[in-house]
């Protein structure tokens, strides 16, 4: 481990870090950043995308990896079936999730959304906003079930 001053704010940073944790500046002389994390993709492809792409960590430019595939799994995932911290896809599952069918802490679904905060045509969540809704606090025209029925309509 080598400690170097940040070129922007002079904070002492671990030379292995691609970005200064204090100010976020990309560190110089790190053209050969050792990529960290994990990346794997299947050999099989469909429409130019790998069938499965798993990506965590960051690449040699210090950029956070994004998983893109028919099935994408990573911190950021975009795909047919996307699973990630931030996920976008036909079917998406994530902390922050957007898709046709979406499941997440914050979930936005074109057709179905499920999660703590769910927004979708059909949404089920602690807070559910949509057309057909179910949950604790529901906001929609058709309430399937609600713990606070009538309270918030
Ligand atoms: Zn800095």
């Amino acid at each position: 481990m080598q400690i170097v001053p940040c070129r922007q704010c002079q904070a002492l940073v671990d030379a292995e870090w691609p970005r200064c944790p204090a100010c976020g500046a990309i560190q110089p002389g790190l053209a050969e950043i050792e990529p960290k994390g994990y990346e794997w993709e299947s050999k099989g492809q469909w429409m130019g995308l790998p069938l499965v792409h798993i990506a965590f960590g960051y690449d040699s430019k210090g950029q956070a990896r994004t998983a893109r595939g028919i099935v994408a799994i990573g911190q950021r995932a975009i795909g047919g079936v996307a699973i990630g911290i931030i996920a976008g896809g036909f079917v998406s599952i994530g902390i922050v999730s957007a898709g046709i069918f979406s499941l997440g802490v914050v979930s936005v679904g074109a057709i179905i959304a499920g999660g703590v905060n769910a927004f979708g045509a059909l949404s089920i969540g602690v807070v559910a906003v949509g057309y057909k809704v179910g949950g604790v606090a529901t906001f929609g025209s058709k309430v399937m079930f609600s713990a606070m029925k009538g309270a918030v309509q």
Side-chain angles (χ1 to χ4, degrees), residues 31-124:
E32 293 160 35
I33 293 167
E34 202 181 316
K36 285 193 177 175
Y38 174 77
E39 189 159 15
W40 180 83
E41 62 181 60
S42 64
K43 290 203 177 83
Q45 295 206 334
W46 187 66
M47 288 176 62
L49 285 169
L51 293 178
V52 179
H53 188 195
I54 300 171
F56 289 99
Y58 51 81
D59 63 17
S60 58
K61 294 187 198 92
Q63 299 290 322
R65 288 193 176 108
T66 299
R68 281 191 184 82
I70 305 306
V71 175
I73 301 169
Q75 59 218 339
R76 298 184 202 167
I78 298 168
V81 175
I83 301 167
I85 295 170
I86 299 173
F90 186 74
V91 175
S92 66
I93 299 167
I95 306 291
V96 177
S97 172
I100 308 296
F101 301 96
S102 171
L103 199 62
V105 174
V106 176
S107 172
V108 180
I111 296 176
I112 298 177
V116 177
N117 297 286
F119 307 88
L122 192 160
S123 68
I124 296 171

